[in-house]
Amino acid sequence: DPYADDPIRHSALKVNTQCPFNAEPPPELLTENYITPNPIFFTRNHLPVPDVDPDTYRLNVVGPPGGQSLCLSLDDLYQFPKHEITVTLQCAGNRRSEMTQFKEVRGLQWSLGAISTARWAGARLCDVLAQAGHQLCETEAHVCFEGLDSDLTGTAYGASIPLARAMDPEAEVLLAYEMNGQPLPRDHGFPVRVVVPGVVGARHVKWLGKVSVEPEESFSHWQRQDYKGFSPSVDWDTVDFDSAPSIQELPVQSAITQPKEGETIGSGEVTVKGYAWSGGGRAVVRVDVSLDGGLTWQVAELEGEEQRARKAWAWRLWHLQAPLPAGIKELNIVCKAVDDSYNVQPDTVAPIWNLRGVLNNAWHRVHVHVAP
Ligand code: MTE
Ligand code: MO
């Protein structure tokens, strides 16, 4: 059993699949803290968790022609300036189960918890690439990452990002060895993972073994044959994965974590809570909440610090407390966020439905009953 050595997990996680391990925190725990505690951070594994010995671990950074390849131990990585940032990581399949309700898709049936936030610390990828002699001359190049996890044929998990993002110090791409002040937990990439702020989870390669600069994107299945968006008209007979770009920056997203679908709430007033986030460092500037299915709207209160312009890597939590008219029996609660490019969320799943069930950022809707 290749999964026999997987770590023990927290019992609060809602398990999607055990082998490989895929699980998300329940909504009420997800937004209890701005920083998601490590034990309940959502986990998305495609393969068994590798058992990496930190003493013998080496990161292979392939140098440019005429340059020098690096073989970095953990101690070597610690010698680079340590950089710490708060970053939200979201799987492209977050909220896929709502897409399924509209029409069947292939993929893990995530609810709204395939998203979490941590403080990540490590070396900046641009510093490590520079030491290997890489420069931003080939602007169309890509930085390819390989994990130490592999399938039965020996194929490793892999993904890539554009070299331009990797070399941009402002993009703050990290080779992270700490998560919330602790060494990375095994499920989250011990001892080193990539953190690409503002970019889809699939590019944050865990258990990082190799970094190379290539003229083309990674040839990995997960770069080329998955994690792409398509028209609702495309089905499994007609899909051409080469025709669509790989997902990198994610669109604006928000969801309601309280109250829960189908719940009966007290009369008099309601408190609605949730999260909002956008990709590419775009800040969330507003969250609108409706209690009547989208007929009328109220502006929610954004919690926490204002985000940095163009570097809004982490989510905003939000809440709305609103009085309820006497005698009201049910609420159709809806939320939608706006980012600083004034991008908005589509009102339904239908126009963004795709066969793989990725990129669901339709208005999130929760129906609740009000006690008499
Ligand atoms: N890296 C490796 N090596 N293997 C994987 O299966 N899954 C990716 C990414 N990095 C994966 C990986 C996907 S699809 C996501 S969404 C994130 O890791 C999830 O990170 P997390 O488990 O720390 O939440
Ligand atoms: Mo993912």
Side-chain angles (χ1 to χ4, degrees):
D1 174 9
Y3 293 95
D5 192 39
D6 266 25
I8 310 239
R9 280 89 180 204
H10 197 280
S11 59
L13 287 169
K14 292 198 295 177
V15 178
N16 225 310
T17 61
Q18 193 68 46
C19 300
F21 190 71
N22 287 293
E24 64 188 295
E28 65 275 13
L29 290 186
L30 180 60
T31 51
E32 200 172 55
N33 296 290
Y34 175 69
I35 299 293
T36 316
N38 290 353
I40 61 159
F41 197 100
F42 90 96
T43 300
R44 203 301 176 224
N45 294 342
H46 292 82
L47 299 161
V49 176
D51 190 8
V52 184
D53 175 354
D55 295 327
T56 57
Y57 171 79
R58 295 291 181 273
L59 174 61
N60 173 12
V61 183
V62 181
Q68 165 203 13
S69 290
L70 306 175
C71 185
L72 302 172
S73 67
L74 275 179
D75 275 336
D76 295 333
L77 262 186
Y78 299 153
Q79 304 311 311
F80 289 89
K82 185 175 177 181
H83 199 72
E84 184 166 29
I85 43 173
T86 307
V87 175
T88 294
L89 209 152
Q90 181 181 220
C91 183
N94 191 30
R95 302 182 56 204
R96 180 181 282 126
S97 57
E98 294 164 59
M99 237 178 216
T100 305
Q101 282 168 17
F102 176 73
K103 194 174 142 192
E104 196 196 330
V105 301
R106 274 189 211 164
L108 291 167
Q109 294 307 309
W110 294 112
S111 179
L112 52 76
I115 181 168
S116 299
T117 299
R119 281 194 66 74
W120 306 94
R124 286 196 305 193
L125 177 59
C126 60
D127 294 341
V128 173
L129 287 175
Q131 182 154 115
H134 287 290
Q135 294 172 326
L136 188 54
C137 41
E138 189 51 77
T139 50
E140 293 300 305
H142 299 264
V143 179
C144 298
F145 307 114
E146 259 180 46
L148 295 168
D149 49 338
S150 56
D151 65 17
L152 292 173
T153 72
T155 307
Y157 184 87
S160 62
I161 61 170
L163 178 64
R165 180 181 293 277
M167 293 299 280
D168 179 3
E170 298 290 297
E172 302 187 279
V173 182
L174 293 189
L175 303 182
Y177 45 75
E178 272 178 28
M179 179 178 182
N180 296 329
Q182 303 288 320
L184 295 184
R186 282 188 63 207
D187 262 331
H188 301 292
F190 180 83
V192 178
R193 83 175 302 167
V194 187
V195 171
V196 195
V199 162
V200 67
R203 315 298 166 219
H204 300 229
V205 175
K206 306 193 271 191
W207 314 290
L208 186 64
K210 184 179 169 190
V211 177
S212 62
V213 178
E214 311 283 351
E216 284 195 64
E217 284 189 291
S218 165
F219 281 92
S220 144
H221 168 87
W222 296 281
Q223 188 76 20
R224 302 243 172 176
Q225 304 296 316
D226 201 353
Y227 296 109
K228 295 185 171 188
F230 295 96
S231 160
S233 63
V234 172
D235 62 29
W236 288 103
D237 295 327
T238 57
V239 65
D240 171 13
F241 272 92
D242 291 335
S243 70
S246 62
I247 301 170
Q248 295 281 340
E249 294 183 359
L250 285 169
V252 60
Q253 175 70 288
S254 67
I256 299 159
T257 55
Q258 181 197 318
K260 282 203 274 191
E261 176 64 32
E263 197 177 322
T264 300
I265 61 165
S267 60
E269 68 169 26
V270 62
T271 301
V272 185
K273 288 187 184 180
Y275 63 75
W277 179 76
S278 190
R282 288 178 287 276
V284 170
V285 296
R286 203 181 74 232
V287 173
D288 298 325
V289 176
S290 174
L291 303 178
D292 54 14
L295 292 175
T296 63
W297 298 93
Q298 304 179 54
V299 176
E301 194 165 321
L302 297 175
E303 300 168 7
E305 291 167 36
E306 212 170 298
Q307 297 161 302
R308 293 181 298 169
R310 298 181 309 282
K311 288 191 186 187
W313 308 134
W315 63 13
R316 292 296 291 268
L317 301 183
W318 54 264
H319 67 269
L320 174 87
Q321 208 171 355
L324 294 178
I328 194 162
K329 291 198 176 63
E330 57 175 1
L331 301 177
N332 287 302
I333 311 174
V334 185
C335 78
K336 64 183 179 78
V338 182
D339 73 19
D340 63 7
S341 298
Y342 283 101
N343 290 308
V344 296
Q345 302 178 234
D347 56 348
T348 58
V349 160
I352 55 167
W353 182 93
N354 60 87
L355 73 176
R356 204 53 185 84
V358 290
L359 302 167
N360 181 16
N361 70 333
W363 295 358
H364 187 229
R365 297 161 189 269
V366 168
H367 176 255
V368 298
H369 305 278
V370 183

